PDB file of all heavy atoms in Angstrom:
ATOM      1  N   THR A  56      26.492  90.813 162.763  1.00 96.00           N
ATOM      2  CA  THR A  56      25.332  90.803 161.881  1.00 96.00           C
ATOM      3  C   THR A  56      25.670  90.032 160.613  1.00 96.00           C
ATOM      4  O   THR A  56      24.873  89.259 160.096  1.00 96.00           O
ATOM      5  CB  THR A  56      24.923  92.256 161.531  1.00 96.00           C
ATOM      6  OG1 THR A  56      24.750  92.963 162.758  1.00 96.00           O
ATOM      7  CG2 THR A  56      23.627  92.285 160.757  1.00 96.00           C
ATOM      8  N   SER A  57      26.910  90.249 160.126  1.00 96.00           N
ATOM      9  CA  SER A  57      27.398  89.430 159.016  1.00 96.00           C
ATOM     10  C   SER A  57      28.918  89.438 159.046  1.00 96.00           C
ATOM     11  O   SER A  57      29.520  90.230 159.742  1.00 96.00           O
ATOM     12  CB  SER A  57      26.886  89.964 157.670  1.00 96.00           C
ATOM     13  OG  SER A  57      27.356  91.283 157.496  1.00 96.00           O
ATOM     14  N   GLY A  58      29.497  88.527 158.284  1.00 97.00           N
ATOM     15  CA  GLY A  58      30.949  88.448 158.227  1.00 97.00           C
ATOM     16  C   GLY A  58      31.509  87.494 159.248  1.00 97.00           C
ATOM     17  O   GLY A  58      30.778  86.950 160.082  1.00 97.00           O
ATOM     18  N   THR A  59      32.825  87.256 159.184  1.00 96.00           N
ATOM     19  CA  THR A  59      33.446  86.295 160.073  1.00 96.00           C
ATOM     20  C   THR A  59      34.731  86.869 160.682  1.00 96.00           C
ATOM     21  O   THR A  59      35.368  87.743 160.113  1.00 96.00           O
ATOM     22  CB  THR A  59      33.847  84.993 159.344  1.00 96.00           C
ATOM     23  OG1 THR A  59      34.660  85.347 158.232  1.00 96.00           O
ATOM     24  CG2 THR A  59      32.631  84.216 158.890  1.00 96.00           C
ATOM     25  N   ALA A  60      35.060  86.328 161.836  1.00 97.00           N
ATOM     26  CA  ALA A  60      36.346  86.621 162.454  1.00 97.00           C
ATOM     27  C   ALA A  60      36.932  85.291 162.890  1.00 97.00           C
ATOM     28  O   ALA A  60      36.256  84.508 163.567  1.00 97.00           O
ATOM     29  CB  ALA A  60      36.141  87.536 163.660  1.00 97.00           C
ATOM     30  N   THR A  61      38.143  84.991 162.453  1.00 96.00           N
ATOM     31  CA  THR A  61      38.754  83.734 162.881  1.00 96.00           C
ATOM     32  C   THR A  61      40.114  83.996 163.489  1.00 96.00           C
ATOM     33  O   THR A  61      40.769  85.001 163.185  1.00 96.00           O
ATOM     34  CB  THR A  61      38.940  82.735 161.694  1.00 96.00           C
ATOM     35  OG1 THR A  61      39.749  83.381 160.707  1.00 96.00           O
ATOM     36  CG2 THR A  61      37.609  82.333 161.112  1.00 96.00           C
ATOM     37  N   ILE A  62      40.495  83.090 164.372  1.00 94.00           N
ATOM     38  CA  ILE A  62      41.803  83.153 165.004  1.00 94.00           C
ATOM     39  C   ILE A  62      42.484  81.833 164.702  1.00 94.00           C
ATOM     40  O   ILE A  62      41.956  80.751 165.018  1.00 94.00           O
ATOM     41  CB  ILE A  62      41.652  83.399 166.511  1.00 94.00           C
ATOM     42  CG1 ILE A  62      41.248  84.861 166.718  1.00 94.00           C
ATOM     43  CG2 ILE A  62      42.955  83.110 167.240  1.00 94.00           C
ATOM     44  CD1 ILE A  62      40.337  85.128 167.806  1.00 94.00           C
ATOM     45  N   ASN A  63      43.621  81.899 164.048  1.00 90.00           N
ATOM     46  CA  ASN A  63      44.303  80.695 163.551  1.00 90.00           C
ATOM     47  C   ASN A  63      43.315  79.792 162.803  1.00 90.00           C
ATOM     48  O   ASN A  63      43.224  78.595 163.062  1.00 90.00           O
ATOM     49  CB  ASN A  63      44.965  79.933 164.701  1.00 90.00           C
ATOM     50  CG  ASN A  63      46.017  80.786 165.387  1.00 90.00           C
ATOM     51  OD1 ASN A  63      46.611  81.664 164.770  1.00 90.00           O
ATOM     52  ND2 ASN A  63      46.252  80.520 166.648  1.00 90.00           N
ATOM     53  N   GLU A  64      42.557  80.376 161.938  1.00 90.00           N
ATOM     54  CA  GLU A  64      41.599  79.682 161.071  1.00 90.00           C
ATOM     55  C   GLU A  64      40.392  79.090 161.770  1.00 90.00           C
ATOM     56  O   GLU A  64      39.625  78.337 161.175  1.00 90.00           O
ATOM     57  CB  GLU A  64      42.294  78.582 160.236  1.00 90.00           C
ATOM     58  CG  GLU A  64      42.721  79.038 158.865  1.00 90.00           C
ATOM     59  CD  GLU A  64      44.232  79.338 158.807  1.00 90.00           C
ATOM     60  OE1 GLU A  64      44.993  78.391 159.053  1.00 90.00           O
ATOM     61  OE2 GLU A  64      44.594  80.495 158.559  1.00 90.00           O
ATOM     62  N   ARG A  65      40.211  79.395 163.043  1.00 92.00           N
ATOM     63  CA  ARG A  65      39.018  78.886 163.733  1.00 92.00           C
ATOM     64  C   ARG A  65      38.275  80.051 164.360  1.00 92.00           C
ATOM     65  O   ARG A  65      38.878  81.001 164.818  1.00 92.00           O
ATOM     66  CB  ARG A  65      39.408  77.925 164.844  1.00 92.00           C
ATOM     67  CG  ARG A  65      39.729  76.536 164.349  1.00 92.00           C
ATOM     68  CD  ARG A  65      40.579  75.854 165.374  1.00 92.00           C
ATOM     69  NE  ARG A  65      39.915  74.663 165.923  1.00 92.00           N
ATOM     70  CZ  ARG A  65      40.515  73.827 166.742  1.00 92.00           C
ATOM     71  NH1 ARG A  65      41.743  74.029 167.157  1.00 92.00           N
ATOM     72  NH2 ARG A  65      39.873  72.776 167.202  1.00 92.00           N
ATOM     73  N   ARG A  66      36.941  79.890 164.401  1.00 95.00           N
ATOM     74  CA  ARG A  66      36.148  80.899 165.099  1.00 95.00           C
ATOM     75  C   ARG A  66      36.477  80.795 166.586  1.00 95.00           C
ATOM     76  O   ARG A  66      36.674  79.700 167.112  1.00 95.00           O
ATOM     77  CB  ARG A  66      34.647  80.642 164.893  1.00 95.00           C
ATOM     78  CG  ARG A  66      34.175  80.888 163.467  1.00 95.00           C
ATOM     79  CD  ARG A  66      32.656  80.947 163.453  1.00 95.00           C
ATOM     80  NE  ARG A  66      32.093  79.833 164.231  1.00 95.00           N
ATOM     81  CZ  ARG A  66      30.917  79.883 164.848  1.00 95.00           C
ATOM     82  NH1 ARG A  66      30.196  80.972 164.786  1.00 95.00           N
ATOM     83  NH2 ARG A  66      30.457  78.837 165.526  1.00 95.00           N
ATOM     84  N   PHE A  67      36.490  81.916 167.258  1.00 96.00           N
ATOM     85  CA  PHE A  67      36.846  81.936 168.685  1.00 96.00           C
ATOM     86  C   PHE A  67      35.977  80.960 169.481  1.00 96.00           C
ATOM     87  O   PHE A  67      36.489  80.221 170.326  1.00 96.00           O
ATOM     88  CB  PHE A  67      36.664  83.356 169.246  1.00 96.00           C
ATOM     89  CG  PHE A  67      37.149  83.507 170.654  1.00 96.00           C
ATOM     90  CD1 PHE A  67      38.461  83.850 170.914  1.00 96.00           C
ATOM     91  CD2 PHE A  67      36.289  83.304 171.721  1.00 96.00           C
ATOM     92  CE1 PHE A  67      38.904  83.989 172.231  1.00 96.00           C
ATOM     93  CE2 PHE A  67      36.727  83.429 173.028  1.00 96.00           C
ATOM     94  CZ  PHE A  67      38.048  83.778 173.280  1.00 96.00           C
ATOM     95  N   VAL A  68      34.656  80.958 169.190  1.00 94.00           N
ATOM     96  CA  VAL A  68      33.763  80.107 169.979  1.00 94.00           C
ATOM     97  C   VAL A  68      34.007  78.625 169.737  1.00 94.00           C
ATOM     98  O   VAL A  68      33.528  77.787 170.490  1.00 94.00           O
ATOM     99  CB  VAL A  68      32.267  80.449 169.726  1.00 94.00           C
ATOM    100  CG1 VAL A  68      31.945  81.832 170.261  1.00 94.00           C
ATOM    101  CG2 VAL A  68      31.939  80.339 168.247  1.00 94.00           C
ATOM    102  N   ASP A  69      34.766  78.287 168.696  1.00 93.00           N
ATOM    103  CA  ASP A  69      35.063  76.886 168.431  1.00 93.00           C
ATOM    104  C   ASP A  69      36.400  76.445 169.030  1.00 93.00           C
ATOM    105  O   ASP A  69      36.780  75.283 168.924  1.00 93.00           O
ATOM    106  CB  ASP A  69      35.092  76.623 166.918  1.00 93.00           C
ATOM    107  CG  ASP A  69      33.722  76.850 166.271  1.00 93.00           C
ATOM    108  OD1 ASP A  69      32.722  76.649 166.992  1.00 93.00           O
ATOM    109  OD2 ASP A  69      33.667  77.224 165.095  1.00 93.00           O
ATOM    110  N   LEU A  70      37.113  77.376 169.653  1.00 94.00           N
ATOM    111  CA  LEU A  70      38.382  77.001 170.264  1.00 94.00           C
ATOM    112  C   LEU A  70      38.097  76.158 171.522  1.00 94.00           C
ATOM    113  O   LEU A  70      37.273  76.535 172.340  1.00 94.00           O
ATOM    114  CB  LEU A  70      39.184  78.245 170.641  1.00 94.00           C
ATOM    115  CG  LEU A  70      39.600  79.173 169.495  1.00 94.00           C
ATOM    116  CD1 LEU A  70      40.255  80.443 170.043  1.00 94.00           C
ATOM    117  CD2 LEU A  70      40.534  78.474 168.532  1.00 94.00           C
ATOM    118  N   PRO A  71      38.797  75.016 171.664  1.00 93.00           N
ATOM    119  CA  PRO A  71      38.505  74.140 172.799  1.00 93.00           C
ATOM    120  C   PRO A  71      38.861  74.758 174.150  1.00 93.00           C
ATOM    121  O   PRO A  71      38.190  74.545 175.151  1.00 93.00           O
ATOM    122  CB  PRO A  71      39.340  72.894 172.526  1.00 93.00           C
ATOM    123  CG  PRO A  71      40.375  73.304 171.535  1.00 93.00           C
ATOM    124  CD  PRO A  71      39.789  74.445 170.746  1.00 93.00           C
ATOM    125  N   ASN A  72      39.942  75.514 174.181  1.00 95.00           N
ATOM    126  CA  ASN A  72      40.380  76.156 175.424  1.00 95.00           C
ATOM    127  C   ASN A  72      40.966  77.506 175.035  1.00 95.00           C
ATOM    128  O   ASN A  72      42.186  77.673 174.910  1.00 95.00           O
ATOM    129  CB  ASN A  72      41.415  75.263 176.112  1.00 95.00           C
ATOM    130  CG  ASN A  72      41.750  75.745 177.512  1.00 95.00           C
ATOM    131  OD1 ASN A  72      41.424  76.874 177.902  1.00 95.00           O
ATOM    132  ND2 ASN A  72      42.431  74.911 178.266  1.00 95.00           N
ATOM    133  N   PRO A  73      40.088  78.493 174.781  1.00 95.00           N
ATOM    134  CA  PRO A  73      40.514  79.724 174.134  1.00 95.00           C
ATOM    135  C   PRO A  73      41.666  80.438 174.827  1.00 95.00           C
ATOM    136  O   PRO A  73      42.533  81.022 174.170  1.00 95.00           O
ATOM    137  CB  PRO A  73      39.260  80.610 174.188  1.00 95.00           C
ATOM    138  CG  PRO A  73      38.139  79.694 174.440  1.00 95.00           C
ATOM    139  CD  PRO A  73      38.657  78.498 175.139  1.00 95.00           C
ATOM    140  N   GLY A  74      41.688  80.369 176.175  1.00 95.00           N
ATOM    141  CA  GLY A  74      42.728  81.067 176.904  1.00 95.00           C
ATOM    142  C   GLY A  74      44.135  80.603 176.572  1.00 95.00           C
ATOM    143  O   GLY A  74      45.110  81.332 176.764  1.00 95.00           O
ATOM    144  N   ARG A  75      44.256  79.364 176.048  1.00 94.00           N
ATOM    145  CA  ARG A  75      45.567  78.833 175.683  1.00 94.00           C
ATOM    146  C   ARG A  75      46.001  79.313 174.323  1.00 94.00           C
ATOM    147  O   ARG A  75      47.168  79.156 173.932  1.00 94.00           O
ATOM    148  CB  ARG A  75      45.538  77.295 175.686  1.00 94.00           C
ATOM    149  CG  ARG A  75      45.066  76.672 176.993  1.00 94.00           C
ATOM    150  CD  ARG A  75      46.152  76.717 178.052  1.00 94.00           C
ATOM    151  NE  ARG A  75      47.392  76.089 177.642  1.00 94.00           N
ATOM    152  CZ  ARG A  75      47.648  74.792 177.799  1.00 94.00           C
ATOM    153  NH1 ARG A  75      46.778  74.010 178.371  1.00 94.00           N
ATOM    154  NH2 ARG A  75      48.807  74.295 177.398  1.00 94.00           N
TER     155      ARG A  75
END
Side-chain angles (χ1 to χ4, degrees):
Chain A
T56 306
S57 61
T59 54
T61 58
I62 286 145
N63 299 333
E64 265 102 62
R65 280 159 118 173
R66 291 194 314 152
F67 186 89
V68 292
D69 296 331
L70 298 174
N72 189 346
R75 304 283 304 272

